[in-house]
Amino acid sequence: MPDSSERKTQITQWLKKEAVSLGFDACGIAKAEFLKEEAHHLENWLKAGMHGKMTYMENHFDKRLDPRKLVEGARSVIVLLYNYFPVKEISAENNYVISKYAYGKDYHFVIKEKLKTLIGGLQEAAGDIQARAFVDSAPVLERAWAVRAGLGWIGKNSLLINPKLGSFFFIAEIITNLELDFDQPKNNDFCGACRNCIDACPTGAIVSPKTIDARKCLSYLTIELKDEIPEEFAGTFNDRIFGCDICQDVCPWNRFSRPCTEPQFAPDEQLVGLKKNDWENLSEDDFKVIFKNSAVKRTKFNGLKRNIEFARKTKIRESE
Ligand code: SF4
Ligand code: SF4
């Protein structure tokens, strides 16, 4: 019989192998503990109001910083990365632009299924354990956990950069009371003197390295904000109507992004066929069909129409 330390290592190795066979590109494990350094940063960011109208971010402050408040007796935070860089970008010619992560089926569903399979395997291997899966979920500071799990560093654009993958990936977590072998943070930051993302951001949302004022970020303005888009952003959308990839597109670490092989993330044919005129005339019924399984649904029909109209009218005004 292997002793408990050997068993822990066996399960950790099994987990990492299984994650790869499910399509994940990287898996790291951090010790579940209070995120002391991040507490200060999060508090200041919230106090400065940079979360805008995402008031849900003010809730569960303690839970966000301590995974043991999300899963009783949590010992490990398993962090997984899933590449979504598309095989081919949708042409921007005579078109509006949506973020690459939203091309295919809503990642929440695709990744949650894979996490469920992993948890099932862990339960088979380790018996009666507690485990909860999170994908882009508000109570978890996913990038901080990814750094702790040795998966990369936080770039000046505030995103996780992995030296092999760049930054076009989803981050998911499993918090469990099972103790596994922990990875070590790499404590390296390879942004160096680069400031491409800061310079390229059309709204000046990267207010200092690693700090985004969400109120100015196109991802917030086109997805999270439910009100009218403030006029001060006229002319900044440059045809973007759902999210924004600019600070990732200009990042040198994304030069070598490999296309994703998950068929569920391939864009819907109807989406690829849309041109500006089609977007502008999109009916609610079309929206329901084309975005049935898509993350774009998050804006709802009226939100998407608002974005299209704002991008259209402010561009016309700019060019007059
Ligand atoms: S997503 Fe776009 S708007 Fe937001 S910080 Fe990056 S470049 Fe700026
Ligand atoms: S663009 Fe440059 S500064 Fe920004 S995250 Fe990438 S490497 Fe870092």
Side-chain angles (χ1 to χ4, degrees):
M1 275 287 277
D3 67 20
S4 63
S5 152
E6 274 175 51
R7 185 81 190 118
K8 188 169 70 164
T9 301
Q10 276 175 359
I11 295 176
T12 305
Q13 286 169 348
W14 172 85
L15 169 78
K16 291 190 171 178
K17 231 171 119 193
E18 186 64 9
V20 171
S21 68
L22 284 167
F24 289 99
D25 296 89
C27 172
I29 301 160
K31 183 176 181 196
E33 58 190 356
F34 181 67
L35 291 171
K36 202 168 158 204
E37 287 163 38
E38 291 78 2
H40 186 62
H41 182 73
L42 179 62
E43 200 176 354
N44 286 342
W45 187 75
L46 290 169
K47 266 194 194 151
M50 291 197 200
H51 57 307
K53 298 206 170 164
M54 296 184 284
T55 44
Y56 60 85
M57 298 199 90
E58 295 160 18
N59 305 333
H60 310 301
F61 189 77
D62 290 349
K63 278 190 188 166
R64 268 165 205 282
L65 294 160
D66 195 339
R68 295 166 301 186
K69 294 200 157 59
L70 289 165
V71 173
E72 205 185 323
R75 292 200 173 131
S76 309
V77 180
I78 303 163
V79 188
L80 300 126
L81 308 184
Y82 205 107
N83 173 31
Y84 64 80
F85 191 73
V87 175
K88 193 166 179 272
E89 281 190 49
I90 298 177
S91 167
E93 180 82 26
N94 182 27
N95 204 355
Y96 289 107
V97 180
I98 67 168
S99 263
K100 298 186 225 331
Y101 79 81
Y103 278 13
K105 190 170 173 187
D106 190 335
Y107 60 99
H108 292 96
F109 303 121
V110 178
I111 298 203
K112 264 268 166 80
E113 276 307 305
K114 292 174 189 283
L115 295 180
K116 267 194 219 157
T117 308
L118 266 185
I119 290 177
L122 277 178
Q123 280 163 337
E124 255 175 48
D128 186 20
I129 57 152
Q130 297 300 314
R132 263 181 86 182
F134 299 88
V135 186
D136 190 20
S137 167
V140 183
L141 291 180
E142 51 189 20
R143 290 169 228 168
W145 287 112
V147 172
R148 284 176 176 236
L151 295 179
W153 74 95
I154 307 284
K156 288 179 190 163
N157 58 8
S158 93
L159 299 173
L160 179 78
I161 317 263
N162 176 281
K164 289 197 187 127
L165 299 167
S167 65
F168 287 108
F169 45 69
F170 299 116
I171 309 178
E173 305 80 31
I174 295 173
I175 300 178
T176 174
N177 61 354
L178 176 67
E179 185 162 318
L180 295 159
D181 287 340
F182 302 131
D183 291 285
Q184 292 304 312
K186 303 279 191 307
N187 283 332
N188 46 13
D189 178 333
F190 293 117
C191 279
C194 174
R195 46 174 288 131
N196 289 6
C197 52
I198 299 176
D199 295 340
C201 176
T203 56
I206 309 175
V207 286
S208 62
K210 304 180 202 272
T211 303
I212 306 284
D213 185 341
R215 294 167 298 185
K216 296 182 175 180
C217 176
L218 298 194
S219 289
Y220 167 81
L221 293 167
T222 57
I223 304 170
E224 302 292 342
L225 182 69
K226 304 297 169 222
D227 308 337
E228 285 302 299
I229 296 164
E231 276 298 308
E232 65 180 285
F233 299 106
T236 62
F237 275 40
N238 200 13
D239 294 331
R240 283 181 177 74
I241 54 164
F242 185 89
C244 167
D245 289 331
I246 296 174
C247 56
Q248 299 196 76
D249 288 336
V250 299
C251 178
W253 290 97
N254 280 325
R255 243 182 265 151
F256 308 107
S257 299
R258 287 175 291 109
C260 144
T261 50
E262 170 58 61
Q264 297 186 84
F265 291 147
D268 181 281
E269 269 177 34
Q270 293 183 84
L271 171 66
V272 178
L274 294 180
K275 289 293 167 201
K276 266 195 174 162
N277 196 37
D278 306 312
W279 285 104
E280 286 160 12
N281 293 305
L282 196 75
S283 70
E284 189 155 7
D285 286 343
D286 295 336
F287 177 83
K288 280 186 191 153
V289 173
I290 299 175
F291 300 109
K292 185 167 170 258
N293 297 313
S294 158
V296 174
K297 261 203 322 212
R298 179 125 176 233
T299 58
K300 304 206 166 63
F301 175 66
N302 288 337
L304 190 67
K305 291 300 259 188
R306 174 203 63 175
N307 297 344
I308 295 167
E309 183 54 16
F310 190 82
R312 188 191 66 80
K313 78 171 190 224
T314 60
K315 193 158 181 172
I316 291 172
R317 222 182 295 151
E318 280 279 294
S319 58
E320 278 168 358

